[in-house]
PDB file of all heavy atoms in Angstrom:
ATOM      1  N   LYS A  14     -81.088 142.789-191.879  1.00  0.00           N
ATOM      2  CA  LYS A  14     -81.529 142.485-190.506  1.00  0.00           C
ATOM      3  C   LYS A  14     -81.098 143.557-189.540  1.00  0.00           C
ATOM      4  O   LYS A  14     -81.844 143.927-188.611  1.00  0.00           O
ATOM      5  CB  LYS A  14     -81.009 141.112-190.087  1.00  0.00           C
ATOM      6  CG  LYS A  14     -81.539 140.625-188.762  1.00  0.00           C
ATOM      7  CD  LYS A  14     -81.011 139.253-188.413  1.00  0.00           C
ATOM      8  CE  LYS A  14     -81.512 138.774-187.071  1.00  0.00           C
ATOM      9  NZ  LYS A  14     -80.941 137.460-186.679  1.00  0.00           N
ATOM     10  N   GLU A  15     -79.875 144.079-189.739  1.00  0.00           N
ATOM     11  CA  GLU A  15     -79.335 145.066-188.796  1.00  0.00           C
ATOM     12  C   GLU A  15     -79.883 146.464-189.061  1.00  0.00           C
ATOM     13  O   GLU A  15     -80.012 147.247-188.114  1.00  0.00           O
ATOM     14  CB  GLU A  15     -77.817 145.069-188.912  1.00  0.00           C
ATOM     15  CG  GLU A  15     -77.139 143.848-188.305  1.00  0.00           C
ATOM     16  CD  GLU A  15     -75.617 143.850-188.513  1.00  0.00           C
ATOM     17  OE1 GLU A  15     -75.148 144.815-189.217  1.00  0.00           O
ATOM     18  OE2 GLU A  15     -74.939 143.012-187.982  1.00  0.00           O
ATOM     19  N   ARG A  16     -80.143 146.775-190.338  1.00  0.00           N
ATOM     20  CA  ARG A  16     -80.512 148.185-190.657  1.00  0.00           C
ATOM     21  C   ARG A  16     -81.754 148.263-191.535  1.00  0.00           C
ATOM     22  O   ARG A  16     -81.929 149.216-192.292  1.00  0.00           O
ATOM     23  CB  ARG A  16     -79.311 148.885-191.333  1.00  0.00           C
ATOM     24  CG  ARG A  16     -78.139 149.033-190.441  1.00  0.00           C
ATOM     25  CD  ARG A  16     -77.036 149.865-191.057  1.00  0.00           C
ATOM     26  NE  ARG A  16     -76.438 149.271-192.208  1.00  0.00           N
ATOM     27  CZ  ARG A  16     -75.459 148.323-192.164  1.00  0.00           C
ATOM     28  NH1 ARG A  16     -75.029 147.946-191.004  1.00  0.00           N
ATOM     29  NH2 ARG A  16     -74.953 147.829-193.266  1.00  0.00           N
ATOM     30  N   TRP A  17     -82.660 147.282-191.413  1.00  0.00           N
ATOM     31  CA  TRP A  17     -83.903 147.275-192.213  1.00  0.00           C
ATOM     32  C   TRP A  17     -84.720 148.505-191.955  1.00  0.00           C
ATOM     33  O   TRP A  17     -85.445 148.976-192.828  1.00  0.00           O
ATOM     34  CB  TRP A  17     -84.702 146.020-191.922  1.00  0.00           C
ATOM     35  CG  TRP A  17     -85.120 145.945-190.468  1.00  0.00           C
ATOM     36  CD1 TRP A  17     -84.431 145.375-189.432  1.00  0.00           C
ATOM     37  CD2 TRP A  17     -86.326 146.500-189.902  1.00  0.00           C
ATOM     38  NE1 TRP A  17     -85.110 145.542-188.255  1.00  0.00           N
ATOM     39  CE2 TRP A  17     -86.298 146.236-188.511  1.00  0.00           C
ATOM     40  CE3 TRP A  17     -87.418 147.189-190.419  1.00  0.00           C
ATOM     41  CZ2 TRP A  17     -87.310 146.629-187.657  1.00  0.00           C
ATOM     42  CZ3 TRP A  17     -88.433 147.586-189.584  1.00  0.00           C
ATOM     43  CH2 TRP A  17     -88.332 147.306-188.191  1.00  0.00           C
ATOM     44  N   TYR A  18     -84.663 149.027-190.759  1.00  0.00           N
ATOM     45  CA  TYR A  18     -85.523 150.123-190.350  1.00  0.00           C
ATOM     46  C   TYR A  18     -85.231 151.388-191.209  1.00  0.00           C
ATOM     47  O   TYR A  18     -86.105 152.248-191.311  1.00  0.00           O
ATOM     48  CB  TYR A  18     -85.380 150.462-188.889  1.00  0.00           C
ATOM     49  CG  TYR A  18     -83.937 150.741-188.470  1.00  0.00           C
ATOM     50  CD1 TYR A  18     -83.419 152.028-188.562  1.00  0.00           C
ATOM     51  CD2 TYR A  18     -83.089 149.721-188.019  1.00  0.00           C
ATOM     52  CE1 TYR A  18     -82.085 152.308-188.207  1.00  0.00           C
ATOM     53  CE2 TYR A  18     -81.781 149.998-187.641  1.00  0.00           C
ATOM     54  CZ  TYR A  18     -81.305 151.275-187.764  1.00  0.00           C
ATOM     55  OH  TYR A  18     -79.981 151.545-187.397  1.00  0.00           O
ATOM     56  N   LEU A  19     -84.025 151.463-191.808  1.00  0.00           N
ATOM     57  CA  LEU A  19     -83.717 152.643-192.644  1.00  0.00           C
ATOM     58  C   LEU A  19     -84.583 152.681-193.874  1.00  0.00           C
ATOM     59  O   LEU A  19     -84.751 153.728-194.507  1.00  0.00           O
ATOM     60  CB  LEU A  19     -82.227 152.637-193.023  1.00  0.00           C
ATOM     61  CG  LEU A  19     -81.208 152.864-191.915  1.00  0.00           C
ATOM     62  CD1 LEU A  19     -79.799 152.690-192.413  1.00  0.00           C
ATOM     63  CD2 LEU A  19     -81.411 154.238-191.272  1.00  0.00           C
ATOM     64  N   ILE A  20     -85.078 151.516-194.304  1.00  0.00           N
ATOM     65  CA  ILE A  20     -85.921 151.491-195.531  1.00  0.00           C
ATOM     66  C   ILE A  20     -87.323 151.973-195.245  1.00  0.00           C
ATOM     67  O   ILE A  20     -88.050 152.389-196.142  1.00  0.00           O
ATOM     68  CB  ILE A  20     -85.923 150.014-196.084  1.00  0.00           C
ATOM     69  CG1 ILE A  20     -84.509 149.585-196.411  1.00  0.00           C
ATOM     70  CG2 ILE A  20     -86.828 149.885-197.272  1.00  0.00           C
ATOM     71  CD1 ILE A  20     -84.398 148.110-196.788  1.00  0.00           C
ATOM     72  N   LEU A  21     -87.714 151.972-193.974  1.00  0.00           N
ATOM     73  CA  LEU A  21     -89.079 152.348-193.624  1.00  0.00           C
ATOM     74  C   LEU A  21     -89.476 153.750-194.112  1.00  0.00           C
ATOM     75  O   LEU A  21     -90.536 153.913-194.722  1.00  0.00           O
ATOM     76  CB  LEU A  21     -89.348 152.227-192.114  1.00  0.00           C
ATOM     77  CG  LEU A  21     -89.464 150.814-191.552  1.00  0.00           C
ATOM     78  CD1 LEU A  21     -89.607 150.842-190.046  1.00  0.00           C
ATOM     79  CD2 LEU A  21     -90.658 150.096-192.202  1.00  0.00           C
ATOM     80  N   PRO A  22     -88.647 154.795-193.855  1.00  0.00           N
ATOM     81  CA  PRO A  22     -89.072 156.113-194.312  1.00  0.00           C
ATOM     82  C   PRO A  22     -89.214 156.194-195.850  1.00  0.00           C
ATOM     83  O   PRO A  22     -90.148 156.826-196.358  1.00  0.00           O
ATOM     84  CB  PRO A  22     -87.913 157.031-193.861  1.00  0.00           C
ATOM     85  CG  PRO A  22     -87.252 156.289-192.761  1.00  0.00           C
ATOM     86  CD  PRO A  22     -87.400 154.848-193.085  1.00  0.00           C
ATOM     87  N   LEU A  23     -88.335 155.475-196.556  1.00  0.00           N
ATOM     88  CA  LEU A  23     -88.409 155.451-198.010  1.00  0.00           C
ATOM     89  C   LEU A  23     -89.706 154.747-198.459  1.00  0.00           C
ATOM     90  O   LEU A  23     -90.394 155.203-199.393  1.00  0.00           O
ATOM     91  CB  LEU A  23     -87.187 154.755-198.618  1.00  0.00           C
ATOM     92  CG  LEU A  23     -86.922 154.892-200.106  1.00  0.00           C
ATOM     93  CD1 LEU A  23     -86.767 156.363-200.480  1.00  0.00           C
ATOM     94  CD2 LEU A  23     -85.692 154.125-200.501  1.00  0.00           C
ATOM     95  N   ALA A  24     -90.026 153.654-197.781  1.00  0.00           N
ATOM     96  CA  ALA A  24     -91.234 152.898-198.120  1.00  0.00           C
ATOM     97  C   ALA A  24     -92.512 153.749-197.825  1.00  0.00           C
ATOM     98  O   ALA A  24     -93.451 153.766-198.646  1.00  0.00           O
ATOM     99  CB  ALA A  24     -91.294 151.571-197.322  1.00  0.00           C
ATOM    100  N   VAL A  25     -92.485 154.442-196.691  1.00  0.00           N
ATOM    101  CA  VAL A  25     -93.651 155.276-196.364  1.00  0.00           C
ATOM    102  C   VAL A  25     -93.748 156.437-197.359  1.00  0.00           C
ATOM    103  O   VAL A  25     -94.872 156.764-197.811  1.00  0.00           O
ATOM    104  CB  VAL A  25     -93.496 155.820-194.929  1.00  0.00           C
ATOM    105  CG1 VAL A  25     -94.511 156.939-194.642  1.00  0.00           C
ATOM    106  CG2 VAL A  25     -93.622 154.710-193.893  1.00  0.00           C
ATOM    107  N   LEU A  26     -92.610 157.007-197.746  1.00  0.00           N
ATOM    108  CA  LEU A  26     -92.608 158.104-198.723  1.00  0.00           C
ATOM    109  C   LEU A  26     -93.247 157.642-200.047  1.00  0.00           C
ATOM    110  O   LEU A  26     -94.122 158.347-200.594  1.00  0.00           O
ATOM    111  CB  LEU A  26     -91.167 158.547-198.988  1.00  0.00           C
ATOM    112  CG  LEU A  26     -90.933 159.576-200.093  1.00  0.00           C
ATOM    113  CD1 LEU A  26     -91.428 160.937-199.596  1.00  0.00           C
ATOM    114  CD2 LEU A  26     -89.492 159.642-200.486  1.00  0.00           C
ATOM    115  N   VAL A  27     -92.822 156.474-200.529  1.00  0.00           N
ATOM    116  CA  VAL A  27     -93.371 155.968-201.806  1.00  0.00           C
ATOM    117  C   VAL A  27     -94.858 155.704-201.643  1.00  0.00           C
ATOM    118  O   VAL A  27     -95.658 156.038-202.522  1.00  0.00           O
ATOM    119  CB  VAL A  27     -92.614 154.691-202.231  1.00  0.00           C
ATOM    120  CG1 VAL A  27     -93.294 154.039-203.449  1.00  0.00           C
ATOM    121  CG2 VAL A  27     -91.141 155.021-202.558  1.00  0.00           C
ATOM    122  N   TYR A  28     -95.254 155.078-200.514  1.00  0.00           N
ATOM    123  CA  TYR A  28     -96.671 154.792-200.280  1.00  0.00           C
ATOM    124  C   TYR A  28     -97.515 156.090-200.313  1.00  0.00           C
ATOM    125  O   TYR A  28     -98.573 156.128-200.936  1.00  0.00           O
ATOM    126  CB  TYR A  28     -96.855 154.067-198.959  1.00  0.00           C
ATOM    127  CG  TYR A  28     -98.286 153.947-198.499  1.00  0.00           C
ATOM    128  CD1 TYR A  28     -99.125 153.043-199.113  1.00  0.00           C
ATOM    129  CD2 TYR A  28     -98.802 154.777-197.509  1.00  0.00           C
ATOM    130  CE1 TYR A  28    -100.475 152.932-198.701  1.00  0.00           C
ATOM    131  CE2 TYR A  28    -100.115 154.722-197.118  1.00  0.00           C
ATOM    132  CZ  TYR A  28    -100.960 153.796-197.720  1.00  0.00           C
ATOM    133  OH  TYR A  28    -102.246 153.683-197.329  1.00  0.00           O
ATOM    134  N   LEU A  29     -97.052 157.100-199.606  1.00  0.00           N
ATOM    135  CA  LEU A  29     -97.799 158.357-199.554  1.00  0.00           C
ATOM    136  C   LEU A  29     -97.882 158.999-200.881  1.00  0.00           C
ATOM    137  O   LEU A  29     -98.951 159.535-201.302  1.00  0.00           O
ATOM    138  CB  LEU A  29     -97.145 159.307-198.532  1.00  0.00           C
ATOM    139  CG  LEU A  29     -97.226 158.924-197.061  1.00  0.00           C
ATOM    140  CD1 LEU A  29     -96.394 159.869-196.211  1.00  0.00           C
ATOM    141  CD2 LEU A  29     -98.667 158.900-196.562  1.00  0.00           C
ATOM    142  N   LEU A  30     -96.775 158.990-201.659  1.00  0.00           N
ATOM    143  CA  LEU A  30     -96.783 159.633-203.015  1.00  0.00           C
ATOM    144  C   LEU A  30     -97.763 158.981-203.924  1.00  0.00           C
ATOM    145  O   LEU A  30     -98.453 159.596-204.732  1.00  0.00           O
ATOM    146  CB  LEU A  30     -95.388 159.616-203.592  1.00  0.00           C
ATOM    147  CG  LEU A  30     -94.336 160.547-202.948  1.00  0.00           C
ATOM    148  CD1 LEU A  30     -92.965 160.269-203.464  1.00  0.00           C
ATOM    149  CD2 LEU A  30     -94.703 161.994-203.221  1.00  0.00           C
ATOM    150  N   PHE A  31     -97.853 157.624-203.820  1.00  0.00           N
ATOM    151  CA  PHE A  31     -98.750 156.883-204.690  1.00  0.00           C
ATOM    152  C   PHE A  31    -100.157 156.792-204.144  1.00  0.00           C
ATOM    153  O   PHE A  31    -101.074 156.247-204.814  1.00  0.00           O
ATOM    154  CB  PHE A  31     -98.193 155.505-205.002  1.00  0.00           C
ATOM    155  CG  PHE A  31     -97.141 155.476-206.030  1.00  0.00           C
ATOM    156  CD1 PHE A  31     -95.827 155.641-205.683  1.00  0.00           C
ATOM    157  CD2 PHE A  31     -97.460 155.310-207.362  1.00  0.00           C
ATOM    158  CE1 PHE A  31     -94.835 155.658-206.665  1.00  0.00           C
ATOM    159  CE2 PHE A  31     -96.470 155.337-208.349  1.00  0.00           C
ATOM    160  CZ  PHE A  31     -95.155 155.538-207.959  1.00  0.00           C
ATOM    161  N   SER A  32    -100.372 157.293-202.933  1.00  0.00           N
ATOM    162  CA  SER A  32    -101.740 157.276-202.355  1.00  0.00           C
ATOM    163  C   SER A  32    -102.432 158.621-202.557  1.00  0.00           C
ATOM    164  O   SER A  32    -103.544 158.810-202.051  1.00  0.00           O
ATOM    165  CB  SER A  32    -101.644 156.971-200.843  1.00  0.00           C
ATOM    166  OG  SER A  32    -101.126 155.714-200.612  1.00  0.00           O
ATOM    167  N   GLY A  33    -101.766 159.491-203.302  1.00  0.00           N
ATOM    168  CA  GLY A  33    -102.472 160.782-203.634  1.00  0.00           C
ATOM    169  C   GLY A  33    -102.064 161.930-202.752  1.00  0.00           C
ATOM    170  O   GLY A  33    -102.557 163.033-202.927  1.00  0.00           O
ATOM    171  N   TYR A  34    -101.216 161.718-201.739  1.00  0.00           N
ATOM    172  CA  TYR A  34    -100.763 162.863-200.915  1.00  0.00           C
ATOM    173  C   TYR A  34     -99.792 163.719-201.713  1.00  0.00           C
ATOM    174  O   TYR A  34     -99.105 163.208-202.588  1.00  0.00           O
ATOM    175  CB  TYR A  34    -100.071 162.338-199.627  1.00  0.00           C
ATOM    176  CG  TYR A  34    -101.007 161.674-198.668  1.00  0.00           C
ATOM    177  CD1 TYR A  34    -101.245 160.312-198.701  1.00  0.00           C
ATOM    178  CD2 TYR A  34    -101.663 162.423-197.700  1.00  0.00           C
ATOM    179  CE1 TYR A  34    -102.096 159.690-197.811  1.00  0.00           C
ATOM    180  CE2 TYR A  34    -102.535 161.829-196.789  1.00  0.00           C
ATOM    181  CZ  TYR A  34    -102.716 160.456-196.833  1.00  0.00           C
ATOM    182  OH  TYR A  34    -103.594 159.858-195.963  1.00  0.00           O
ATOM    183  N   THR A  35     -99.742 164.976-201.407  1.00  0.00           N
ATOM    184  CA  THR A  35     -98.823 165.894-202.142  1.00  0.00           C
ATOM    185  C   THR A  35     -97.369 165.526-201.805  1.00  0.00           C
ATOM    186  O   THR A  35     -97.073 165.046-200.705  1.00  0.00           O
ATOM    187  CB  THR A  35     -99.063 167.356-201.750  1.00  0.00           C
ATOM    188  OG1 THR A  35     -98.706 167.546-200.365  1.00  0.00           O
ATOM    189  CG2 THR A  35    -100.522 167.737-201.971  1.00  0.00           C
ATOM    190  N   PRO A  36     -96.479 165.769-202.741  1.00  0.00           N
ATOM    191  CA  PRO A  36     -95.044 165.528-202.449  1.00  0.00           C
ATOM    192  C   PRO A  36     -94.554 166.288-201.250  1.00  0.00           C
ATOM    193  O   PRO A  36     -93.705 165.792-200.494  1.00  0.00           O
ATOM    194  CB  PRO A  36     -94.349 166.002-203.742  1.00  0.00           C
ATOM    195  CG  PRO A  36     -95.377 165.906-204.808  1.00  0.00           C
ATOM    196  CD  PRO A  36     -96.679 166.177-204.162  1.00  0.00           C
ATOM    197  N   LEU A  37     -95.062 167.506-201.012  1.00  0.00           N
ATOM    198  CA  LEU A  37     -94.653 168.288-199.895  1.00  0.00           C
ATOM    199  C   LEU A  37     -95.024 167.578-198.569  1.00  0.00           C
ATOM    200  O   LEU A  37     -94.220 167.469-197.654  1.00  0.00           O
ATOM    201  CB  LEU A  37     -95.306 169.701-199.972  1.00  0.00           C
ATOM    202  CG  LEU A  37     -94.877 170.692-198.886  1.00  0.00           C
ATOM    203  CD1 LEU A  37     -93.377 170.946-198.991  1.00  0.00           C
ATOM    204  CD2 LEU A  37     -95.631 171.982-199.055  1.00  0.00           C
ATOM    205  N   TYR A  38     -96.257 167.088-198.529  1.00  0.00           N
ATOM    206  CA  TYR A  38     -96.723 166.388-197.324  1.00  0.00           C
ATOM    207  C   TYR A  38     -95.947 165.085-197.150  1.00  0.00           C
ATOM    208  O   TYR A  38     -95.472 164.780-196.050  1.00  0.00           O
ATOM    209  CB  TYR A  38     -98.225 166.091-197.451  1.00  0.00           C
ATOM    210  CG  TYR A  38     -98.857 165.462-196.246  1.00  0.00           C
ATOM    211  CD1 TYR A  38     -99.215 166.243-195.170  1.00  0.00           C
ATOM    212  CD2 TYR A  38     -99.087 164.093-196.211  1.00  0.00           C
ATOM    213  CE1 TYR A  38     -99.843 165.680-194.069  1.00  0.00           C
ATOM    214  CE2 TYR A  38     -99.693 163.504-195.122  1.00  0.00           C
ATOM    215  CZ  TYR A  38    -100.051 164.325-194.051  1.00  0.00           C
ATOM    216  OH  TYR A  38    -100.645 163.777-192.933  1.00  0.00           O
ATOM    217  N   ALA A  39     -95.793 164.322-198.249  1.00  0.00           N
ATOM    218  CA  ALA A  39     -95.106 163.034-198.167  1.00  0.00           C
ATOM    219  C   ALA A  39     -93.659 163.240-197.743  1.00  0.00           C
ATOM    220  O   ALA A  39     -93.111 162.498-196.920  1.00  0.00           O
ATOM    221  CB  ALA A  39     -95.188 162.333-199.505  1.00  0.00           C
ATOM    222  N   GLY A  40     -92.989 164.254-198.317  1.00  0.00           N
ATOM    223  CA  GLY A  40     -91.606 164.542-197.980  1.00  0.00           C
ATOM    224  C   GLY A  40     -91.411 164.973-196.505  1.00  0.00           C
ATOM    225  O   GLY A  40     -90.482 164.540-195.846  1.00  0.00           O
ATOM    226  N   THR A  41     -92.355 165.749-196.003  1.00  0.00           N
ATOM    227  CA  THR A  41     -92.325 166.184-194.615  1.00  0.00           C
ATOM    228  C   THR A  41     -92.449 164.974-193.679  1.00  0.00           C
ATOM    229  O   THR A  41     -91.679 164.857-192.718  1.00  0.00           O
ATOM    230  CB  THR A  41     -93.444 167.182-194.309  1.00  0.00           C
ATOM    231  OG1 THR A  41     -93.388 168.263-195.236  1.00  0.00           O
ATOM    232  CG2 THR A  41     -93.344 167.744-192.897  1.00  0.00           C
ATOM    233  N   ILE A  42     -93.387 164.113-193.963  1.00  0.00           N
ATOM    234  CA  ILE A  42     -93.563 162.915-193.127  1.00  0.00           C
ATOM    235  C   ILE A  42     -92.373 161.989-193.229  1.00  0.00           C
ATOM    236  O   ILE A  42     -91.889 161.429-192.231  1.00  0.00           O
ATOM    237  CB  ILE A  42     -94.862 162.151-193.563  1.00  0.00           C
ATOM    238  CG1 ILE A  42     -96.093 163.038-193.319  1.00  0.00           C
ATOM    239  CG2 ILE A  42     -94.992 160.850-192.788  1.00  0.00           C
ATOM    240  CD1 ILE A  42     -96.304 163.491-191.881  1.00  0.00           C
ATOM    241  N   GLY A  43     -91.869 161.784-194.486  1.00  0.00           N
ATOM    242  CA  GLY A  43     -90.688 160.932-194.644  1.00  0.00           C
ATOM    243  C   GLY A  43     -89.504 161.424-193.858  1.00  0.00           C
ATOM    244  O   GLY A  43     -88.770 160.667-193.226  1.00  0.00           O
ATOM    245  N   LEU A  44     -89.254 162.756-193.910  1.00  0.00           N
ATOM    246  CA  LEU A  44     -88.161 163.371-193.200  1.00  0.00           C
ATOM    247  C   LEU A  44     -88.348 163.213-191.678  1.00  0.00           C
ATOM    248  O   LEU A  44     -87.425 162.863-190.944  1.00  0.00           O
ATOM    249  CB  LEU A  44     -88.059 164.854-193.562  1.00  0.00           C
ATOM    250  CG  LEU A  44     -87.012 165.701-192.824  1.00  0.00           C
ATOM    251  CD1 LEU A  44     -85.621 165.137-193.088  1.00  0.00           C
ATOM    252  CD2 LEU A  44     -87.072 167.158-193.245  1.00  0.00           C
ATOM    253  N   ALA A  45     -89.584 163.447-191.177  1.00  0.00           N
ATOM    254  CA  ALA A  45     -89.885 163.332-189.773  1.00  0.00           C
ATOM    255  C   ALA A  45     -89.662 161.908-189.318  1.00  0.00           C
ATOM    256  O   ALA A  45     -89.095 161.673-188.228  1.00  0.00           O
ATOM    257  CB  ALA A  45     -91.301 163.758-189.506  1.00  0.00           C
ATOM    258  N   LEU A  46     -90.046 160.919-190.090  1.00  0.00           N
ATOM    259  CA  LEU A  46     -89.875 159.489-189.691  1.00  0.00           C
ATOM    260  C   LEU A  46     -88.380 159.201-189.643  1.00  0.00           C
ATOM    261  O   LEU A  46     -87.976 158.415-188.747  1.00  0.00           O
ATOM    262  CB  LEU A  46     -90.572 158.587-190.671  1.00  0.00           C
ATOM    263  CG  LEU A  46     -92.096 158.529-190.596  1.00  0.00           C
ATOM    264  CD1 LEU A  46     -92.670 157.585-191.640  1.00  0.00           C
ATOM    265  CD2 LEU A  46     -92.593 158.142-189.243  1.00  0.00           C
ATOM    266  N   THR A  47     -87.622 159.711-190.556  1.00  0.00           N
ATOM    267  CA  THR A  47     -86.152 159.431-190.544  1.00  0.00           C
ATOM    268  C   THR A  47     -85.531 159.973-189.260  1.00  0.00           C
ATOM    269  O   THR A  47     -84.724 159.325-188.618  1.00  0.00           O
ATOM    270  CB  THR A  47     -85.478 160.100-191.779  1.00  0.00           C
ATOM    271  OG1 THR A  47     -86.129 159.668-192.936  1.00  0.00           O
ATOM    272  CG2 THR A  47     -84.008 159.685-191.870  1.00  0.00           C
ATOM    273  N   VAL A  48     -85.932 161.223-188.885  1.00  0.00           N
ATOM    274  CA  VAL A  48     -85.400 161.794-187.628  1.00  0.00           C
ATOM    275  C   VAL A  48     -85.825 160.942-186.438  1.00  0.00           C
ATOM    276  O   VAL A  48     -85.034 160.676-185.541  1.00  0.00           O
ATOM    277  CB  VAL A  48     -85.878 163.258-187.495  1.00  0.00           C
ATOM    278  CG1 VAL A  48     -85.454 163.846-186.165  1.00  0.00           C
ATOM    279  CG2 VAL A  48     -85.338 164.113-188.656  1.00  0.00           C
ATOM    280  N   MET A  49     -87.083 160.532-186.457  1.00  0.00           N
ATOM    281  CA  MET A  49     -87.590 159.688-185.334  1.00  0.00           C
ATOM    282  C   MET A  49     -86.847 158.354-185.256  1.00  0.00           C
ATOM    283  O   MET A  49     -86.550 157.904-184.130  1.00  0.00           O
ATOM    284  CB  MET A  49     -89.086 159.413-185.502  1.00  0.00           C
ATOM    285  CG  MET A  49     -89.950 160.646-185.280  1.00  0.00           C
ATOM    286  SD  MET A  49     -91.708 160.404-185.689  1.00  0.00           S
ATOM    287  CE  MET A  49     -92.200 159.299-184.383  1.00  0.00           C
ATOM    288  N   LEU A  50     -86.458 157.787-186.413  1.00  0.00           N
ATOM    289  CA  LEU A  50     -85.721 156.544-186.359  1.00  0.00           C
ATOM    290  C   LEU A  50     -84.276 156.749-185.840  1.00  0.00           C
ATOM    291  O   LEU A  50     -83.777 155.930-185.075  1.00  0.00           O
ATOM    292  CB  LEU A  50     -85.643 155.960-187.795  1.00  0.00           C
ATOM    293  CG  LEU A  50     -86.889 155.200-188.279  1.00  0.00           C
ATOM    294  CD1 LEU A  50     -86.761 154.853-189.739  1.00  0.00           C
ATOM    295  CD2 LEU A  50     -87.107 153.940-187.457  1.00  0.00           C
ATOM    296  N   ILE A  51     -83.642 157.859-186.237  1.00  0.00           N
ATOM    297  CA  ILE A  51     -82.296 158.139-185.764  1.00  0.00           C
ATOM    298  C   ILE A  51     -82.308 158.325-184.233  1.00  0.00           C
ATOM    299  O   ILE A  51     -81.512 157.711-183.503  1.00  0.00           O
ATOM    300  CB  ILE A  51     -81.728 159.376-186.467  1.00  0.00           C
ATOM    301  CG1 ILE A  51     -81.471 159.081-187.930  1.00  0.00           C
ATOM    302  CG2 ILE A  51     -80.418 159.807-185.773  1.00  0.00           C
ATOM    303  CD1 ILE A  51     -81.102 160.312-188.751  1.00  0.00           C
ATOM    304  N   LEU A  52     -83.259 159.128-183.778  1.00  0.00           N
ATOM    305  CA  LEU A  52     -83.336 159.413-182.323  1.00  0.00           C
ATOM    306  C   LEU A  52     -83.825 158.177-181.591  1.00  0.00           C
ATOM    307  O   LEU A  52     -83.312 157.849-180.517  1.00  0.00           O
ATOM    308  CB  LEU A  52     -84.281 160.595-182.077  1.00  0.00           C
ATOM    309  CG  LEU A  52     -83.859 161.961-182.668  1.00  0.00           C
ATOM    310  CD1 LEU A  52     -84.911 162.999-182.404  1.00  0.00           C
ATOM    311  CD2 LEU A  52     -82.505 162.405-182.108  1.00  0.00           C
ATOM    312  N   GLY A  53     -84.840 157.506-182.122  1.00  0.00           N
ATOM    313  CA  GLY A  53     -85.374 156.298-181.474  1.00  0.00           C
ATOM    314  C   GLY A  53     -84.356 155.216-181.397  1.00  0.00           C
ATOM    315  O   GLY A  53     -84.286 154.501-180.387  1.00  0.00           O
ATOM    316  N   GLY A  54     -83.539 155.065-182.435  1.00  0.00           N
ATOM    317  CA  GLY A  54     -82.486 154.038-182.427  1.00  0.00           C
ATOM    318  C   GLY A  54     -81.478 154.271-181.300  1.00  0.00           C
ATOM    319  O   GLY A  54     -81.026 153.353-180.650  1.00  0.00           O
ATOM    320  N   SER A  55     -81.149 155.547-181.103  1.00  0.00           N
ATOM    321  CA  SER A  55     -80.232 155.882-180.003  1.00  0.00           C
ATOM    322  C   SER A  55     -80.844 155.590-178.614  1.00  0.00           C
ATOM    323  O   SER A  55     -80.172 155.046-177.764  1.00  0.00           O
ATOM    324  CB  SER A  55     -79.910 157.390-180.085  1.00  0.00           C
ATOM    325  OG  SER A  55     -79.147 157.779-179.005  1.00  0.00           O
ATOM    326  N   ILE A  56     -82.122 155.926-178.487  1.00  0.00           N
ATOM    327  CA  ILE A  56     -82.799 155.666-177.190  1.00  0.00           C
ATOM    328  C   ILE A  56     -82.930 154.151-176.962  1.00  0.00           C
ATOM    329  O   ILE A  56     -82.681 153.675-175.840  1.00  0.00           O
ATOM    330  CB  ILE A  56     -84.212 156.313-177.204  1.00  0.00           C
ATOM    331  CG1 ILE A  56     -84.059 157.857-177.171  1.00  0.00           C
ATOM    332  CG2 ILE A  56     -85.023 155.865-176.011  1.00  0.00           C
ATOM    333  CD1 ILE A  56     -85.313 158.627-177.456  1.00  0.00           C
ATOM    334  N   ALA A  57     -83.289 153.411-177.993  1.00  0.00           N
ATOM    335  CA  ALA A  57     -83.516 151.963-177.864  1.00  0.00           C
ATOM    336  C   ALA A  57     -82.231 151.241-177.415  1.00  0.00           C
ATOM    337  O   ALA A  57     -82.311 150.260-176.628  1.00  0.00           O
ATOM    338  CB  ALA A  57     -83.976 151.369-179.200  1.00  0.00           C
ATOM    339  N   LEU A  58     -81.074 151.730-177.818  1.00  0.00           N
ATOM    340  CA  LEU A  58     -79.828 151.104-177.431  1.00  0.00           C
ATOM    341  C   LEU A  58     -79.619 151.186-175.899  1.00  0.00           C
ATOM    342  O   LEU A  58     -78.939 150.360-175.312  1.00  0.00           O
ATOM    343  CB  LEU A  58     -78.601 151.749-178.127  1.00  0.00           C
ATOM    344  CG  LEU A  58     -78.485 151.441-179.641  1.00  0.00           C
ATOM    345  CD1 LEU A  58     -77.347 152.250-180.227  1.00  0.00           C
ATOM    346  CD2 LEU A  58     -78.179 149.951-179.835  1.00  0.00           C
TER     347      LEU A  58
END
């Protein structure tokens, strides 16, 4: 409940990899989402 959002980038990464996107593209998006969550979490507080 407190840190569920950390699973989101991993879930998106797996979804993209299995949807036919290249690992390079999926990894870039997964990394970007993780950074957005870290920064967004700080702003939301």
Side-chain angles (χ1 to χ4, degrees):
K14 186 178 178 182
E15 289 177 352
R16 295 187 293 278
W17 61 271
Y18 56 87
L19 292 174
I20 299 172
L21 286 177
L23 194 59
V25 169
L26 174 74
V27 173
Y28 169 75
L29 291 173
L30 288 170
F31 280 89
S32 297
Y34 291 91
T35 66
L37 186 60
Y38 185 79
T41 306
I42 297 301
L44 177 59
L46 288 180
T47 307
V48 176
M49 289 173 71
L50 281 173
I51 293 171
L52 298 177
S55 173
I56 292 168
L58 287 174

